[in-house]
Amino acid sequence: MRDEVTMDELTRRSLIGGAAALAVAGRAATAQGGAPDERVPLWPGRIPGDLGKRPVRKVNDRSKTPGAPDRWTTGIDVPALVVRRPAQPNGAAVLLVPGGGYGFLAYDNEGTEQARWLNALGVTCFILLYRLPSEGWGERRLVPLQDAQRAMRVIRAGAARFGIDPRRVATIGFSAGGHLAGSLATRFAEPVYAPVDAADRLSARPDLAGLIYPVVSMDAAITHQGSRNNLLGPTPAAAEVEAASVERRVGADTPPVFLVHASDDGTVPVANSLTLYAALLTAKRPAEMHLFDEGGHGFGTRLPKTTPASAWPTLFAAYAARKGVFPA
């Protein structure tokens, strides 16, 4: 069983310590300068890779439409989950992983706006505010994956409080966030940080991974160079490139994967999705891929309804239902 530890089995000490941390960091915080959100910190004590000089949080709202924010966030000094609860929860949950080339987080386009349609389906959402690897953390290549693994475990440890089924937790990642979600789906059991409490005995494996116009490979021939540089640095060793290429990490326990890409993506080549899909087929892992003629990059849910790629949320929801993560 993936969830070999349940919430009831957590020690009293872990519960008290975790409650104290949540009370401090989660009390009616105003997320990203907007309306108050429920925020859950990932790390109860020292953050892995903390070298003593944390980045400064900055939010750049690029929107030109009043009431429709389009915030890019940098300086993630305290990684956390922002919880968006539906009015009528059905027990399913999604960890949302915004992209931004590992240089910023597209918080609204690939976070809050995604939570909106998922909430309408009854799905509880957790927007991952993960650390950016080039902002002064130790072991930069592992920093985002540390936060992603810990996020899945924190979600499962709090399943009763969040009103979710810990065996129905998917992830959806976009662009570089798709690389992180894909890394989580293929490297969920890799020990990238020292356990900090009983929650770390839980599985970090997502039950399904949706990768939307994802960065997949660190191979210079097809990668998004900015994402690769931010994650691995300008001159990574060959072994680091191999380890961080999602298509190289597919295994017998990789969860079902749903891929979406536009052929005219001028930022992240569609070859990234094609390469991963081929690897999944070779490993005989369940996968569904949708390629569209038009859409470009970074479209989130903002495409006109006349553009076929705008249908991807409906296609994803149907796939998640077939895989037992969303209700049928």
Side-chain angles (χ1 to χ4, degrees):
M1 294 290 290
R2 293 196 307 274
D3 299 317
E4 62 270 24
V5 181
T6 67
M7 190 64 179
D8 291 338
E9 293 170 322
L10 293 175
T11 65
R12 180 174 180 273
R13 180 176 179 181
S14 294
L15 285 170
I16 293 173
L22 294 179
V24 172
R27 71 166 71 101
T30 299
Q32 310 297 332
D37 273 319
E38 180 182 358
R39 188 179 296 212
V40 180
L42 296 183
W43 306 99
R46 181 182 178 275
I47 299 172
D50 187 352
L51 301 178
K53 187 176 181 180
R54 302 250 185 116
V56 177
R57 179 74 60 94
K58 295 180 181 178
V59 178
N60 175 23
D61 192 344
R62 304 170 67 255
S63 175
K64 295 178 174 59
T65 305
D70 187 12
R71 291 163 288 186
W72 286 10
T73 303
T74 57
I76 306 299
D77 55 335
V78 179
L81 294 167
V82 177
V83 187
R84 290 294 177 96
R85 298 176 184 257
Q88 297 180 311
N90 59 33
V94 169
L95 174 66
L96 291 167
V97 189
Y102 284 125
F104 66 91
L105 302 184
Y107 180 72
D108 290 300
N109 182 33
E110 295 164 354
T112 63
E113 293 174 20
Q114 306 309 316
R116 192 174 302 133
W117 69 266
L118 287 161
N119 282 171
L121 297 179
V123 179
T124 303
C125 292
F126 302 84
I127 304 171
L128 178 59
L129 302 179
Y130 59 93
R131 290 169 294 153
L132 301 171
S134 62
E135 291 190 331
W137 303 94
E139 292 191 289
R140 64 189 290 169
R141 71 190 187 284
L142 298 179
V143 161
L145 185 56
Q146 290 169 345
D147 289 347
Q149 283 189 3
R150 177 69 182 171
M152 287 297 294
R153 291 166 176 144
V154 167
I155 290 168
R156 286 194 166 114
R161 179 164 63 92
F162 297 131
I164 65 165
D165 182 344
R167 293 173 177 81
R168 293 167 56 208
V169 184
T171 185
I172 304 179
F174 303 80
S175 193
H179 179 269
L180 181 51
S183 297
L184 180 64
T186 54
R187 301 170 64 187
F188 56 86
E190 183 177 328
V192 295
Y193 66 88
V196 297
D197 57 25
D200 285 325
R201 294 162 59 195
L202 296 170
S203 173
R205 179 185 185 272
D207 297 296
L208 184 153
L211 311 183
I212 316 302
Y213 41 84
V215 178
V216 168
S217 184
M218 294 291 110
D219 183 338
I222 63 171
T223 194
H224 175 249
Q225 195 64 45
S227 296
R228 172 175 147 145
N229 288 350
N230 282 329
L231 181 65
L232 301 180
T235 56
E240 293 176 335
V241 171
E242 177 91 4
S245 293
V246 177
E247 79 277 13
R248 302 286 190 179
R249 310 307 300 270
V250 174
D253 49 5
T254 298
V257 174
F258 177 91
L259 289 157
V260 170
H261 224 119
S263 299
D264 65 350
D265 189 331
T267 302
V268 177
V270 69
N272 281 266
S273 286
L274 291 168
T275 297
L276 179 56
Y277 187 64
L280 291 161
L281 291 181
T282 298
K284 295 182 170 53
R285 300 309 300 149
E288 179 167 306
M289 179 171 63
H290 296 273
L291 302 181
F292 297 94
D293 182 39
E294 299 175 350
H297 188 76
F299 47 78
T301 51
R302 296 176 175 179
L303 291 173
K305 295 303 179 186
T306 54
T307 303
S310 67
W312 77 261
T314 301
L315 296 169
F316 175 83
Y319 187 68
R322 291 198 301 276
K323 296 304 176 184
V325 177
F326 288 7

